[in-house]
Amino acid sequence: MRNETDKQQRKIIFCNSLVQAGAYLVVLICAITFFFLIYNYNVWTGKLRYILSGLKSIIIGIVIAYLLNPIVRSLEKKLLKLFKKTHEEKKTKAAVRLVSSLLVVLVFVFVVSVLLYSILPEVIISISSVIRNSPKYIDEVTDLIQSNAQMRKILDNVLTNATDTITAWLNENVLSNIDAYVSAIASGVFSMVGVLVDFLIGIIISVYVLCSMDTFVGQGKKMIYALLSPKQAKVVLDTMRKSNEIFGGFISGKLIDSLIIGVLCFIGLSLLHMPYVTLVAVIVGITNVIPFFGPYIGMVPSTILIMLVDFKKGIIALIFIIILQQLDGNVIGPKILGKSTGLSAFWVVFAVMFFGKAWGILGMFIGVPVFGVIYYIIETFVNYQLEKRKLPVRLELYRRLDYIDESGEPILKSELTEKERKKREQKELRRQWMEENKENFERWIEEHKKDNTAE
């Protein structure tokens, strides 16, 4: 019997050792993989970029489908009400989905075409006007500087240094690499054509994605439940639903918000008889897509453009854009976006700066919803751990919390005076001392009982 017990214990020890060894091996493999990824960052990111470049059309199609899906679903529900229930309900739904997808995508293409047709010529005219009038602006700035002796002296030094630098740059870089620059320009033109082709193919792909959206979602859920337990799968699906809510609410809301700001800017500048109205409205609208920093990024070049024509009008335009951005930040933006990400102003700035550094302009745009999802996951995990330990979850309570005692009761700062706090601390110390010496007391009591019995 004893041999059997020893054998069982050795078996348990062996299994535990095997599990520990496996865990150490997994950690080691993960560490080596992480080091490899960091050490060969440029290699694997280059390969990933190459793979993604071949999937541009599909990515564009998925993004368009994702943005248009809420509109398609709304139209689909309205169209389904027109049909009575039949034995071919599945075919009816598929046909309605196809019609809804085609209608919404066609309207989307029409709206984009109208906007480009309306805006592009005006933008090209404005840019051409700026280039054509640039000698005049340079002469005006030169006259202003010539009238000031101190500014003229500073400008002479700047021009001398700039001339030397530009001459050296032209000789060392431009003239020696003229072939490379010509090739780069040519490849840039081809890239623009490629982007246009990818966009057109992406529109076609978006129709297929919209028609198969329910199938894709069903396949995804099926795979999640195949790999995870029902409880874990529910957590994953809840997280994905919340992520979709954050991304969808923020991106669609921000695009609508930026369109409204662009239109209001165009109307306001037109009423104020400003130059380059369309160009400035487009700059302000596009840069407004970037959270927090976008308004300032768009405000600077817009103001400079107008100041080159008329300094006073530039000041007026600057004041108007500031008022418009305040209106957007305090009224229009909150109404459209609401609390879609659940982030405070500090975390919005952090997300824009961090992801902007990592992914450039795209990171500045999608960084906020990405960080919003990360923030939600961390918050959900923290709340789960607190509930598991039967501790309060509300943030307001922790703002006023002094500490939580051993019984789990929260002690708030406002509830205790200094004297009461000291009493509680002394009581807690006594309780801990009693816990630590509990065995000694019990032993002493037992011995005392034995002495009394003996007597």
Side-chain angles (χ1 to χ4, degrees):
M1 185 71 178
R2 187 173 179 181
N3 290 336
E4 190 68 29
T5 306
D6 292 342
K7 188 178 179 182
Q8 193 71 23
Q9 285 179 347
R10 284 197 297 272
K11 187 177 179 181
I12 292 168
I13 292 167
F14 175 74
C15 289
N16 291 335
S17 302
L18 195 64
V19 169
Q20 287 181 353
Y24 291 140
L25 183 63
V26 170
V27 171
L28 182 63
I29 291 169
C30 290
I32 293 169
T33 305
F34 181 75
F35 175 77
F36 176 78
L37 291 174
I38 295 297
Y39 186 75
N40 296 283
Y41 176 79
N42 292 328
V43 176
W44 68 266
T45 51
K47 289 181 179 178
L48 181 64
R49 202 176 293 115
Y50 176 75
I51 294 167
L52 291 177
S53 65
L55 300 173
K56 276 182 186 175
S57 301
I58 295 174
I59 293 168
I60 291 169
I62 292 170
V63 171
I64 293 171
Y66 179 75
L67 294 174
L68 296 181
N69 188 52
I71 305 170
V72 172
R73 284 195 176 279
S74 178
L75 181 61
E76 183 185 7
K77 286 179 183 177
K78 290 178 181 177
L79 290 176
L80 281 172
K81 290 178 181 178
L82 302 175
F83 295 91
K84 293 180 180 179
K85 289 188 177 180
T86 61
H87 62 282
E88 294 185 347
E89 187 178 348
K90 190 176 180 181
K91 289 183 179 179
T92 305
K93 282 186 176 180
V96 169
R97 182 72 178 184
L98 176 61
V99 171
S100 303
S101 303
L102 284 171
L103 282 173
V104 171
V105 169
L106 287 172
V107 170
F108 170 74
V109 172
F110 175 75
V111 170
V112 171
S113 302
V114 168
L115 286 172
L116 291 175
Y117 182 77
S118 304
I119 293 170
L120 274 181
E122 291 292 328
V123 172
I124 291 167
I125 291 168
S126 300
I127 293 171
S128 302
S129 177
V130 171
I131 295 168
R132 189 169 56 253
N133 294 325
S134 56
K136 176 187 170 185
Y137 302 147
I138 293 168
D139 290 339
E140 288 177 359
V141 173
T142 305
D143 292 339
L144 179 66
I145 292 169
Q146 290 293 336
S147 61
N148 189 313
Q150 190 174 0
M151 286 181 68
R152 188 169 64 248
K153 186 178 179 181
I154 294 168
L155 183 65
D156 288 338
N157 292 330
V158 171
L159 286 174
T160 303
N161 294 329
T163 303
D164 294 338
T165 304
I166 291 168
T167 303
W169 177 72
L170 287 171
N171 290 329
E172 293 173 10
N173 296 315
V174 177
L175 295 176
S176 59
N177 297 313
I178 191 71
D179 294 337
Y181 286 115
V182 172
S183 300
I185 293 167
S187 65
V189 173
F190 284 115
S191 296
M192 287 296 294
V193 175
V195 168
L196 183 61
V197 171
D198 288 334
F199 183 75
L200 293 173
I201 296 172
I203 288 170
I204 297 168
I205 289 171
S206 68
V207 177
Y208 288 100
V209 174
L210 285 167
C211 292
S212 306
M213 190 72 78
D214 291 337
T215 304
F216 293 150
V217 172
Q219 288 172 343
K221 289 178 182 177
K222 184 179 178 181
M223 190 177 293
I224 289 167
Y225 276 100
L227 296 172
L228 303 172
S229 67
K231 187 177 179 181
Q232 292 171 333
K234 185 180 181 302
V235 172
V236 171
L237 290 175
D238 288 342
T239 304
M240 290 178 73
R241 287 189 189 103
K242 185 64 179 180
S243 303
N244 177 55
E245 183 185 324
I246 291 171
F247 264 90
F250 179 82
I251 293 173
S252 58
K254 198 64 184 171
L255 290 173
I256 293 167
D257 175 50
S258 298
L259 180 63
I260 292 169
I261 291 300
V263 171
L264 289 176
C265 185
F266 178 82
I267 294 168
L269 293 177
S270 299
L271 293 172
L272 293 169
H273 304 289
M274 295 290 170
Y276 310 127
V277 173
T278 307
L279 180 60
V280 171
V282 169
I283 292 171
V284 170
I286 290 173
T287 54
N288 193 71
V289 170
I290 300 170
F292 194 80
F293 295 108
Y296 304 103
I297 294 170
M299 185 170 59
V300 174
S302 303
T303 305
I304 292 170
L305 270 176
I306 297 172
M307 279 182 173
L308 288 173
V309 178
D310 190 319
F311 187 81
K312 289 182 181 178
K313 282 188 175 183
I315 298 296
I316 295 168
L318 176 63
I319 294 167
F320 171 75
I321 294 171
I322 290 171
I323 293 170
L324 183 64
Q325 297 299 348
Q326 291 301 312
L327 177 69
D328 176 45
N330 296 297
V331 180
I332 300 172
K335 285 285 182 184
I336 295 173
L337 295 171
K339 294 183 178 179
S340 57
T341 58
L343 297 177
S344 64
F346 170 79
W347 290 119
V348 169
V349 174
F350 173 83
V352 172
M353 292 182 72
F354 179 82
F355 289 100
K357 183 70 175 175
W359 301 335
I361 297 295
L362 179 64
M364 295 179 81
F365 176 50
I366 68 167
V368 173
V370 168
F371 190 79
V373 172
I374 296 169
Y375 188 91
Y376 166 76
I377 293 169
I378 294 171
E379 186 181 37
T380 304
F381 175 75
V382 169
N383 290 343
Y384 170 75
Q385 290 295 326
L386 289 171
E387 287 174 355
K388 193 176 177 182
R389 296 175 185 180
K390 296 181 180 179
L391 295 174
V393 174
R394 287 188 304 112
L395 179 62
E396 283 298 321
L397 186 142
Y398 286 91
R399 285 175 179 168
R400 298 187 294 117
L401 184 71
D402 188 26
Y403 65 92
I404 295 176
D405 62 18
E406 290 292 327
S407 64
E409 182 185 353
I411 308 301
L412 305 181
K413 290 179 182 178
S414 58
E415 290 181 357
L416 296 175
T417 61
E418 189 64 31
K419 190 175 180 181
E420 288 172 336
R421 188 178 287 108
K422 284 181 180 178
K423 280 185 178 179
R424 278 186 177 268
E425 286 175 357
Q426 288 172 358
K427 186 178 177 182
E428 183 65 20
L429 287 171
R430 283 198 299 271
R431 191 194 64 76
Q432 289 177 3
W433 186 82
M434 290 288 287
E435 283 288 333
E436 290 169 0
N437 294 277
K438 187 178 178 181
E439 292 181 3
N440 295 331
F441 276 116
E442 288 176 352
R443 197 184 307 114
W444 180 81
I445 289 168
E446 287 294 326
E447 290 174 357
H448 187 67
K449 281 182 180 178
K450 285 179 182 178
D451 291 343
N452 288 338
T453 305
E455 288 175 1

